[in-house]
Amino acid sequence: MKRAVAKLAFLTLIFFISCNAQQKVEVAPIQFVDTGVDSEAWVKIPAGEFLKGQHRHETMIEKEYEIMVTDVTNLQYVKYLNEALAKGTIIVKKDSVLGYYPGDPFDGFKHEFEITEGNKLYINLGEPGIRIKFDGKLFSVIGGFENHPVSFVSWFGANAYAHFYGWRLPLENEWEKAARGTDGRTFPWGEDISANVANYLSSHTLFEKMYGKQITTTPVGFFNGNTHNGYETVDNKSPYGLYDMAGNVWQWCGDDYPDLHYRYIRGGSRTNYEYNLFIWARNSAGPEFYSMYIGFRCARDVQEKEEEFKNEADLE
């Protein structure tokens, strides 16, 4: 009996040592794949009704707005981190990048948790699998991952990125209309799903075959109808021209529902089955949560942009 217990303890120790060793493996550079999709592009979504949710309820969007064509990439987030560091709006403590958040109104409801004012975690650079590094002075991206969606970013970190440039995270209604258009479709590209239209659990994409399972995300806009190394993708654009509104990484939305304060994510990710890629699928987490499979994109008011042009014209 003692021998059996000792053997079990030894195997358990080996298991944990093995797991720990795997966690310490750093991400190696990979081949850069240019999808031809511009991650700096935005599209305008018109005001008006759309069909929301599984039961397609008519829902009104009062104002037109703009939204990014793709998720924010690692390169775009690194640019923000370097600019924010230079301006002193973020600080780095060990592997944690922190920044100020003013807190949420708190009413003391039974299941409400309080989000106080103070410095919050934006991104944890110590996580296994992260594609961003910091040398003490500058942030940079591990080679080949420049145009992959940034991940390991909390809602605080996504919200800070958007506000730094005068933008915001899309509200859930805005996200859904941008993904779905006005015809009530099930997926951003239509009614059916196949392995080469998005990065999800059943797709087994080219990136897994080329680099192994540690490459869990695909470059933004990868599924655009082009062929890469013999792998033919299907164009997954939404009716308004947005890529990756289903699969690859979940996307943070901007809503802060009263007396709750959970933040909602939409779109599904690499780890999900087909039903999580339905346009109406959603999940939630606290704003401090982060994951390899959560990213974001930004939205902005058209009126604010026009006002910027007007102000620039007044200065000339």
Side-chain angles (χ1 to χ4, degrees), residues 113-126:
F113 65 95
E114 187 172 8
I115 298 176
T116 58
E117 175 187 9
N119 283 332
K120 307 296 182 183
L121 178 67
Y122 285 3
I123 186 169
N124 185 348
L125 302 177

Side-chain angles (χ1 to χ4, degrees), residues 17-204:
I17 290 174
S18 175
C19 290
N20 196 40
Q22 283 185 339
Q23 290 175 351
K24 290 183 178 178
V25 174
E26 294 184 359
V27 174
I30 62 171
Q31 176 184 335
F32 179 82
V33 176
D34 184 2
T35 66
V37 174
D38 182 8
S39 61
E40 299 289 340
W42 295 69
V43 292
K44 184 182 294 185
I45 311 297
E49 290 186 345
F50 76 102
L51 301 176
K52 178 182 178 180
Q54 182 175 2
H55 301 292
R56 297 170 172 80
H57 296 295
E58 291 187 353
T59 302
M60 174 62 72
I61 297 284
E62 297 291 345
K63 294 182 179 179
E64 62 181 0
Y65 58 98
E66 292 185 327
I67 189 167
M68 286 179 160
V69 167
T70 74
D71 295 323
V72 173
T73 65
N74 286 311
L75 188 62
Q76 288 172 311
Y77 203 77
V78 158
K79 176 177 179 290
Y80 154 69
L81 289 175
N82 285 323
E83 292 176 357
L85 187 65
K87 289 187 176 182
T89 62
I90 61 170
I91 57 175
V92 183
K93 287 187 175 180
K94 294 185 178 179
D95 291 326
S96 299
V97 179
L98 308 167
Y100 175 78
Y101 183 72
D104 291 338
F106 181 68
D107 297 315
F109 277 70
K110 184 176 180 180
H111 297 293
E112 182 181 10
F113 65 95
E114 187 172 8
I115 298 176
T116 58
E117 175 187 9
N119 283 332
K120 307 296 182 183
L121 178 67
Y122 285 3
I123 186 169
N124 185 348
L125 302 177
E127 285 291 335
I130 196 163
R131 291 82 182 264
I132 292 175
K133 56 186 179 180
F134 181 60
D135 66 3
K137 294 181 179 178
L138 289 175
F139 297 90
S140 60
V141 183
I142 295 174
F145 289 100
E146 291 86 349
N147 61 348
H148 285 240
V150 67
S151 56
F152 295 106
V153 176
S154 69
W155 183 92
F156 293 122
N159 183 63
Y161 174 94
H163 282 264
F164 189 82
Y165 295 112
W167 309 329
R168 55 185 172 78
L169 297 177
L171 300 176
E172 283 199 89
N173 282 352
E174 293 175 331
W175 186 95
E176 187 164 330
K177 183 173 183 180
R180 191 173 213 176
T182 57
D183 60 8
R185 59 185 58 193
T186 301
F187 298 103
W189 52 84
E191 292 301 321
D192 300 317
I193 187 169
S194 61
N196 51 350
V197 72
N199 184 21
Y200 65 107
L201 193 59
S202 303
S203 63
H204 305 295

